[in-house]
Amino acid sequence: MVSERVEEYSSSEEEEVTTVTNGIKNTAITNGVSNEEAEGDGKEKETSEEPIEIGMQCGLKNLYSGKEDKRGRFQWQDKIPEDVGKPAEDAETAKWALLVRNVKVYNDPRKVLAIHSIVVQSPLLKKLLESVLKDYPGVTVGLQRLEFSGKFEPIIHRWSQLKEAISQIGDETEDQRKTKEHAELFHNLLKSEFKNLIDASQDMMSKGVMTYEYLWTLFQPGATVYARQDGQETAMKLHETKYGQDRNGNPCFWLTCKYIDWDGAKFGTNKLNLSIPIYSGTRSITQLAVYPINYHHDKDALRTRLIERGAKAESLAGSHYKSYHGIGWKRGTFGTKDKYNIKSRIVIDTYGWNRFNPSFAIFVTPLNQRDPVVGGTSGGDGDDGEDEDNYDDGEDNDGGMPIDGQFADEDDESRRIPLTTDQKLICTPLLRGYSLKNKLWLNFFVNCVKEIEWQTGAFDSLVLPSNQKDLILGFTESQRKYKESFDDVIEGKGKGIILLLCGPPGVGKTLTAESVAEEMRVPLYMMSAGDLGLDPRNVETKLQNILEMCTKWNAILLLDEADVFLEQRSLHELERNKLVSIFLRILEYYEGIMFLTTNRVNTFDPAFQSRIHISLDYPELSIDSRRLVWKNFLAGSQQPNTISSRQLDQLALMNMNGRQIKNVLKTAQLLASRKEAKLSYDHVMTVLDVTQHLHNSTQENERTRASIFC
Ligand SMILES: Nc1ncnc2c1ncn2[C@@H]1O[C@H](COP(=O)(O)OP(=O)(O)OP(=O)(O)O)[C@@H](O)[C@H]1O
Ligand SMILES: [Mg+2]
């Protein structure tokens, strides 16, 4: 009953009865009944006597799409559509060196056909093109079918290389002669088709101008382009280009570029989309927002500058305590760039940036590191081509999330593979870090980062009994050195050190913390109770974040006016009790050095007493101390003075604190310089006379305060 399945690959076209599709000769069968039979009867034959075993017939049954309706839908049929011809490419067409597909042109009165695509079949030509198109992204010449279509970008971009390669083919061997023939065939074909385009583009490039329509001819993928990013000169590797629309729907030319960035753990590439808005007529190439670096009027100097900056960026990978003078910015709520004028110490730390600004975190695609053995001897200082292998083109795993779902840990610095010159060239001009003064995470410019000018005399100028000074410095320094050696039974507990400085205003408590940090050359994180707020939930996270940062940066933490946290908990103030408990708990796990300062603590919470390692009392400055403070200030100032030793004694007799001395002296100096005279005792006395009421009233206040709290 069931007819035999006929299925064989056709090798000739003589048989007229059978149909041929895609090189396969078919006899169509419906439900096990041959087509002809079914048609003959006008309906399918009943096969009810023998049950059909579903899916058990070994064979394949073809169905064909029928006529399409307006929406591109069709019905399936088992007849081969009549207008199906033979495949255009077959054994016969395979012999030609080139296969050119042409399409009809409708809107150009000068021609009726245009090249749609070219298939390069000649193995000789393929070999030639291999060198011409070397490193061109997205083109693999070695494949069996090498096909060019669309705008033929690879060929147009490498036009001059193609011409050059053809001219260099010799004619000694048969192979060479044949290659030349094939290459010229290819060249002439393209020339006839694209002559106008190539001529126009090259003419414009030689004059340093370009039209919007021809922009794509200027930008070759893989080339180094130059642009200004946040006002900074930047070089990037061009990845791809396309015409499209900007956010407002206006036409523009998009360029996807790659640059090198540091993500807190490793260097890698990141992508940036730049655009050139549509313009009419020609425009000077160097006026474009982005252009190939070769068109820069001072390209050699620019290259050197960028490579130097890249090297600096490389040296700043990791966390570094530096000085900064320039603009820092961060993204505002509405995508704006909030700019800040920064002149302070900063800590550069991308890892911390990612940790505390997860929505603006930096991710990179790791660089494909060169195998040290296979990579050969070259140091990678070649400018062209060579280093391109180092960029991972493994597509888009930088889509805003780390690959393994977590931030990588900071790598061991010694294991980092140094950047090559080409990589330094395209290194980002931005660094991420924390401004200690503004207490903000910001983007900084590599060029504005400076070395810190340490105030070496700071600790010396602090007037304190010498044993007290020794104690503070000795304690903090050894704590840093031996941090690892002491640990509580629970890991991380009890590693830190907490110093309490207690005393009246202006006697050098804050200055102590400042000068210790300066002496030890570590960052000082100044925090006041106000920074933490009073809402217990916020306080906890804020405090934890700050402590984490300080531990990581080896910073000294200074909590000024810590009174709120230190006073004894009482039954009535529940909110404050919570604060104190949080503070006590978190403090115990802190692993760094912390200074607490306070003016007035009469009743310490007992829990604190055991947590504080050293508590120092700062008395009012003694006469001798005041004399020394006066002397130091005068010696430290650039302005000459005529104050004698005896006058200094007089000044020291006056009951003032360090801050008052500083302020009086500052005002007196202003007075003297206004009169263009040397600073004299009289100047100081005038200022004192004028501000007497201030001193009296502060002293008055002190007394009242003391009587309240003691
Ligand atoms: N012992 C001191 N030795 C040298 N300079 C001092 C001393 N005390 C105060 N000064 C000067 O006064 C300035 C203010 O001092 P500091 O900020 O350390 O006061 P403080 O004790 O923290 O006061 P407050 O409790 O008001 O915060 C210092 O910057 C310094 O110029
Ligand atoms: Mg202070």
Side-chain angles (χ1 to χ4, degrees):
M1 277 292 282
V2 181
S3 65
E4 205 47 47
R5 181 90 181 85
V6 185
E7 182 84 43
E8 60 182 69
Y9 286 94
S10 90
S11 51
S12 69
E13 304 102 37
E14 316 124 274
E15 285 173 300
E16 301 219 271
V17 196
T18 45
T19 50
V20 180
T21 322
N22 294 341
I24 299 174
K25 190 161 68 178
N26 291 319
T27 304
I29 299 165
T30 322
N31 287 345
V33 181
S34 77
N35 228 2
E36 297 91 61
E37 280 176 61
E39 263 171 33
D41 290 5
K43 63 177 179 118
E44 286 176 19
K45 268 197 178 167
E46 289 288 311
T47 52
S48 53
E49 306 99 68
E50 270 189 48
I52 298 167
E53 272 191 275
I54 293 174
M56 286 308 292
Q57 177 86 33
C58 179
L60 55 89
K61 160 84 185 128
N62 286 310
L63 293 177
Y64 305 93
S65 60
K67 276 205 179 110
E68 279 180 33
D69 72 357
K70 275 186 207 147
R71 289 154 79 181
R73 298 173 302 187
F74 45 72
Q75 286 177 330
W76 292 104
Q77 61 183 37
D78 54 13
K79 263 195 261 161
I80 291 183
E82 277 151 19
D83 53 357
V84 175
K86 279 188 275 171
E89 281 183 47
D90 54 20
E92 199 275 331
T93 56
K95 71 182 183 202
W96 300 102
L98 297 173
L99 211 62
V100 184
R101 302 196 190 115
N102 292 285
V103 284
K104 284 185 206 157
V105 175
Y106 291 100
N107 56 356
D108 190 343
R110 288 169 300 177
K111 54 183 180 182
V112 287
L113 282 176
I115 297 181
H116 169 270
S117 49
I118 299 175
V119 183
V120 178
Q121 306 194 123
S122 154
L124 300 170
L125 187 53
K126 272 193 220 168
K127 206 156 166 228
L128 181 80
L129 289 177
E130 206 162 315
S131 64
V132 172
L133 297 176
K134 183 172 181 282
D135 291 331
Y136 195 94
V139 179
T140 314
V141 183
L143 295 181
Q144 273 190 359
R145 279 179 80 85
L146 178 60
E147 193 173 319
F148 297 101
S149 59
K151 290 197 224 145
F152 294 78
E153 279 116 329
I155 298 293
I156 306 278
H157 283 142
R158 296 280 168 96
W159 188 250
S160 49
Q161 282 96 323
L162 178 69
K163 278 207 307 202
E164 173 81 17
I166 295 176
S167 69
Q168 278 177 4
I169 307 173
D171 50 6
E172 287 98 61
T173 63
E174 179 61 26
D175 241 19
Q176 284 178 336
R177 282 192 288 276
K178 270 259 174 300
T179 310
K180 191 157 193 139
E181 266 177 38
H182 288 192
E184 269 166 2
L185 180 75
F186 184 60
H187 183 247
N188 291 338
L189 171 72
L190 290 168
K191 207 165 142 189
S192 64
E193 186 73 14
F194 298 112
K195 190 170 184 323
N196 292 344
L197 172 89
I198 293 168
D199 285 355
S201 152
Q202 282 185 345
D203 183 36
M204 284 193 279
M205 280 193 229
S206 66
K207 310 247 161 50
V209 293
M210 194 44 73
T211 59
Y212 179 74
E213 290 70 30
Y214 281 49
L215 272 181
W216 66 273
T217 60
L218 180 66
F219 291 101
Q220 186 177 142
T224 310
V225 292
Y226 168 84
R228 275 193 177 264
Q229 204 189 334
D230 297 322
Q232 304 284 306
E233 302 177 314
T234 9
M236 281 171 273
K237 275 259 137 94
L238 188 63
H239 180 61
E240 60 185 13
T241 60
K242 68 165 186 257
Y243 287 94
Q245 290 182 338
D246 64 9
R247 219 179 296 158
N248 304 323
N250 300 322
C252 70
F253 182 66
W254 282 107
L255 301 107
T256 308
C257 304
K258 284 189 169 186
Y259 61 91
I260 303 272
D261 206 344
W262 169 254
D263 77 346
K266 60 184 174 305
F267 277 104
T269 54
N270 221 336
K271 280 185 194 159
L272 182 72
N273 288 324
L274 300 171
S275 67
I276 300 176
I278 189 168
Y279 58 89
S280 56
T282 55
R283 182 170 289 184
S284 158
I285 292 175
T286 50
Q287 271 176 9
L288 298 171
V290 196
Y291 58 87
I293 199 164
N294 294 339
Y295 287 89
H296 194 275
H297 65 274
D298 194 12
K299 60 173 188 272
D300 293 332
L302 172 73
R303 270 186 113 86
T304 324
R305 275 203 300 277
L306 292 177
I307 291 167
E308 259 169 33
R309 192 183 66 192
K312 187 170 172 191
E314 185 182 16
S315 72
L316 290 172
S319 75
H320 295 270
Y321 182 36
K322 296 283 161 186
S323 159
Y324 189 81
H325 189 181
I327 300 281
W329 63 268
K330 69 181 175 88
R331 286 234 173 267
T333 337
F334 301 106
T336 48
K337 279 183 184 170
D338 297 347
K339 300 185 190 81
Y340 300 85
N341 217 340
I342 306 288
K343 194 175 179 187
S344 78
R345 306 268 178 94
I346 60 167
V347 180
I348 296 159
D349 179 9
T350 311
Y351 182 84
W353 166 278
N354 284 353
R355 162 86 178 69
F356 296 107
N357 301 280
S359 41
F360 300 113
I362 312 290
F363 304 110
V364 296
T365 314
L367 298 175
N368 258 358
Q369 278 126 6
R370 183 180 294 195
D371 190 303
V373 187
V374 184
T377 48
S378 87
D381 52 354
D383 279 347
D384 298 314
E386 266 276 83
D387 291 326
E388 232 152 69
D389 306 348
N390 291 349
Y391 306 113
D392 185 348
D393 279 330
E395 274 306 303
D396 298 18
N397 37 17
D398 45 352
M401 275 290 173
I403 305 164
D404 48 5
Q406 57 175 296
F407 301 112
D409 267 340
E410 269 187 298
D411 248 354
D412 185 1
E413 210 169 309
S414 56
R415 279 194 292 139
R416 241 182 259 157
I417 294 176
L419 295 181
T420 62
T421 316
D422 255 22
Q423 288 168 343
K424 283 180 196 155
L425 177 72
I426 59 166
C427 220
T428 169
L430 292 179
L431 293 169
R432 286 90 197 170
Y434 190 80
S435 161
L436 288 164
K437 195 159 139 200
N438 308 57
K439 302 215 172 71
L440 284 175
W441 283 99
L442 296 171
N443 288 290
F444 297 109
F445 298 122
V446 177
N447 279 341
C448 302
V449 175
K450 311 233 156 32
E451 286 304 320
I452 294 176
E453 285 173 22
W454 301 102
Q455 288 171 1
T456 40
F459 197 71
D460 293 337
S461 71
L462 175 68
V463 179
L464 274 188
S466 64
N467 54 356
Q468 204 162 334
K469 277 175 84 171
D470 287 349
L471 182 72
I472 295 172
L473 200 61
F475 210 67
T476 45
E477 264 179 1
S478 59
Q479 148 71 16
R480 257 167 56 85
K481 255 187 232 156
Y482 305 115
K483 191 168 124 187
E484 298 309 318
S485 59
F486 181 81
D487 209 341
D488 204 321
V489 253
I490 309 286
E491 202 191 335
K493 200 171 164 185
K495 273 188 181 174
I497 166 174
I498 295 159
L499 297 100
L500 177 70
L501 314 179
C502 187
V507 291
K509 300 183 298 296
T510 308
L511 181 66
T512 306
E514 285 167 343
S515 55
V516 167
E518 202 66 14
E519 188 75 15
M520 286 166 57
R521 310 207 158 181
V522 293
L524 176 71
Y525 192 102
M526 284 218 215
M527 166 175 89
S528 70
D531 291 336
L532 293 175
L534 287 172
D535 179 354
R537 275 164 306 179
N538 289 345
V539 169
E540 175 151 10
T541 36
K542 274 190 196 160
L543 191 64
Q544 239 158 6
N545 287 348
I546 292 172
L547 296 188
E548 195 186 316
M549 289 194 277
C550 289
T551 312
K552 190 161 168 287
W553 301 335
N554 257 332
I556 289 183
L557 178 61
L558 168 64
L559 177 57
D560 250 340
E561 287 129 52
D563 324 330
V564 189
F565 299 111
L566 301 173
E567 254 175 76
Q568 189 165 27
R569 281 169 282 186
S570 68
L571 287 174
H572 317 291
E573 301 170 288
L574 292 180
E575 282 300 298
R576 202 175 65 77
N577 289 357
K578 274 191 215 159
L579 282 186
V580 177
S581 325
I582 292 169
F583 196 66
L584 284 171
R585 184 161 42 83
I586 296 179
L587 218 55
E588 192 146 18
Y589 288 92
Y590 180 49
E591 296 179 16
I593 301 169
M594 180 172 195
F595 281 93
L596 300 171
T597 75
T598 172
N599 288 144
R600 40 156 193 155
V601 168
N602 49 346
T603 47
F604 265 124
D605 197 289
F608 257 110
Q609 284 164 2
S610 59
R611 278 174 173 81
I612 286 165
H613 299 95
I614 304 184
S615 170
L616 293 174
D617 189 37
Y618 281 61
E620 297 274 3
L621 297 182
S622 65
I623 298 182
D624 286 346
S625 307
R626 288 200 293 261
R627 192 178 190 282
L628 203 55
V629 174
W630 276 107
K631 201 173 149 211
N632 285 347
F633 275 135
L634 287 172
S637 136
Q638 313 236 312
Q639 208 169 356
N641 65 75
T642 58
I643 297 173
S644 68
S645 170
R646 177 149 328 142
Q647 287 168 332
L648 215 54
D649 292 338
Q650 290 292 317
L651 290 172
L653 283 179
M654 275 176 276
N655 187 11
M656 290 161 85
N657 68 34
R659 186 180 287 123
Q660 284 167 328
I661 297 178
K662 186 176 83 174
N663 292 343
V664 167
L665 210 54
K666 201 166 143 194
T667 326
Q669 277 171 343
L670 286 176
L671 195 67
S673 49
R674 184 160 155 27
K675 293 188 173 162
E676 290 176 4
K678 283 185 182 173
L679 177 71
S680 68
Y681 182 71
D682 288 344
H683 290 132
V684 179
M685 288 319 283
T686 319
V687 175
L688 275 173
D689 279 346
V690 177
T691 55
Q692 194 62 44
H693 65 282
L694 209 65
H695 296 295
N696 288 343
S697 66
T698 31
Q699 275 162 20
E700 204 55 44
N701 281 346
E702 286 304 303
R703 246 172 272 136
T704 358
R705 230 151 83 164
S707 63
I708 294 171
F709 289 103
C710 296

